[in-house]
Every structure is written in structure tokens, then in C-alpha cells.
Amino acid sequence: MSSVDLRAEFNRQMNQELRNAYLYLAMAAYFDSLSLTGFAHYFKVQAREELGHAMKFYEFMVDRGWEVELQDVPKPKTKWGSVLEAAEDFLAAETENTKRIWRLVDLARGAGDKAAESFLQWFVSEQVEEEKSASELLAKVRMARDQPAALLALDRALAERK
Ligand code: FEO
């Protein structure tokens, strides 16, 4: 892979992080519509984190003198049939993102771009945390399923996310 292609892939990943920010903001709006304000808060924080991830790609590309190309961010899914379905989508999005990051690491290595490879290591570690958080949330939602009191307790706990 040439460094030109690697630049295109970095721009694509910046867009992917923005897509995830948009997806999680849509989830926040879904939970706000259900008055599950703790869940909504959790996903607002998550959306901000994704925006931060996009900005890491942005700053890295600027630092390298690469062209930043902002691409369309399509309308995300906005409705879910249940809290469980949204939690499943959260984990699926993070699992997919891990695959994308790992692929980028392979591409950076193939291009011999040590700086890009080093930059991506933060994301490799971050994705371990992201998948863990999403898996834990999904497990808790499964436990609370069909038990309104348990779901409301989980909602209160999620409101504490910093
Ligand atoms: Fe940007 Fe949730 O990983």
C-alpha cells in the first residue's frame, strides 16, 4: 500500500468515528424519548468520545501534512425496538470498529509507516476498553430485561458516567 492510500484510509476512519458519534447521539435521543435519561447520558458521553477519536485522526493527519478530507456522514439508524436491541447495536459497532483499526494497523505496517503504526496503538488499546464497556452494558441489559425496577436501577447507575 502506498502512503497516498494510507491517507485515504485514515480519512475514512475519521469519518467512521464521526459515524459512530452520530449513531450514539441517535441512541441518546432514542433513550431520551423513553425517559431513560441515564442511558441517554451514557450515550451522549459516548458520542463525545467518538468525536474525540475523530479529532485524534484529524490532528494526526494535520501533523503529518496530509490532506483532511471531510466526507458525508449519513443519517444513522434512529429507532430501536428495545433497549436490548440498542445495546446489541452498540457492541456490534465497537466490534466492527476494532476490525477496522486492526486492518489499519496492518496497512500502516505494510506501508512501512512507523509513525502511523505507533499512532494506531492507542486505538488498539482503546478498542479493548470500548468492547469491554459495550459487552458489560449488554450483559446488564440482558439481566434487567423484563424487570422495570432493574432497568431503572441500571438507568440511575448509567447517569453517573463521567
Ligand atoms: Fe472510536 Fe468507540 O471507538
Side-chain angles (χ1 to χ4, degrees):
M1 150 158 301
S2 73
S3 64
V4 173
D5 292 334
L6 192 60
R7 293 172 195 197
E9 294 293 337
F10 265 58
N11 272 293
R12 202 165 289 135
Q13 184 60 29
M14 181 178 64
N15 179 265
Q16 185 61 35
E17 302 288 350
L18 291 170
R19 286 174 190 235
N20 282 344
Y22 227 34
L23 174 66
Y24 298 145
L25 193 57
M27 284 187 186
Y30 164 70
F31 287 120
D32 266 326
S33 78
L34 298 178
S35 296
L36 287 171
T37 53
F39 276 89
H41 169 75
Y42 181 95
F43 280 99
K44 284 171 198 169
V45 173
Q46 189 64 35
R48 277 200 296 274
E49 275 200 4
E50 300 303 341
L51 194 53
H53 296 169
M55 289 308 298
K56 280 184 183 287
F57 277 94
Y58 175 100
E59 298 294 354
F60 178 79
M61 290 191 284
V62 168
D63 288 350
R64 295 293 299 278
W66 294 0
E67 187 179 354
V68 172
E69 285 188 282
L70 294 175
Q71 298 158 10
D72 288 346
V73 180
K75 181 178 176 178
K77 179 174 174 177
T78 55
K79 299 215 182 320
W80 286 267
S82 63
V83 174
L84 179 63
E85 187 187 316
E88 286 170 343
D89 279 4
F90 178 29
L91 179 57
E94 290 305 330
T95 304
E96 171 63 25
N97 207 49
T98 298
K99 280 191 203 137
R100 289 172 182 269
I101 294 292
W102 285 26
R103 179 173 164 273
L104 270 183
V105 171
D106 288 342
L107 294 175
R109 194 168 293 153
D113 192 323
K114 303 277 190 282
E117 198 181 331
S118 170
F119 165 79
L120 289 166
Q121 286 312 308
W122 184 89
F123 283 91
V124 170
S125 301
E126 175 70 3
Q127 282 309 122
V128 173
E129 290 304 312
E130 293 281 73
E131 284 196 47
K132 177 173 180 273
S133 302
S135 294
E136 284 179 357
L137 183 63
L138 179 56
K140 287 173 185 169
V141 167
R142 282 202 177 114
M143 282 185 249
R145 193 160 40 155
D146 303 326
Q147 300 175 66
L151 193 66
L152 290 175
L154 179 54
D155 188 59
R156 280 194 295 278
L158 293 177
E160 302 301 317
R161 182 176 182 185
K162 301 284 183 251

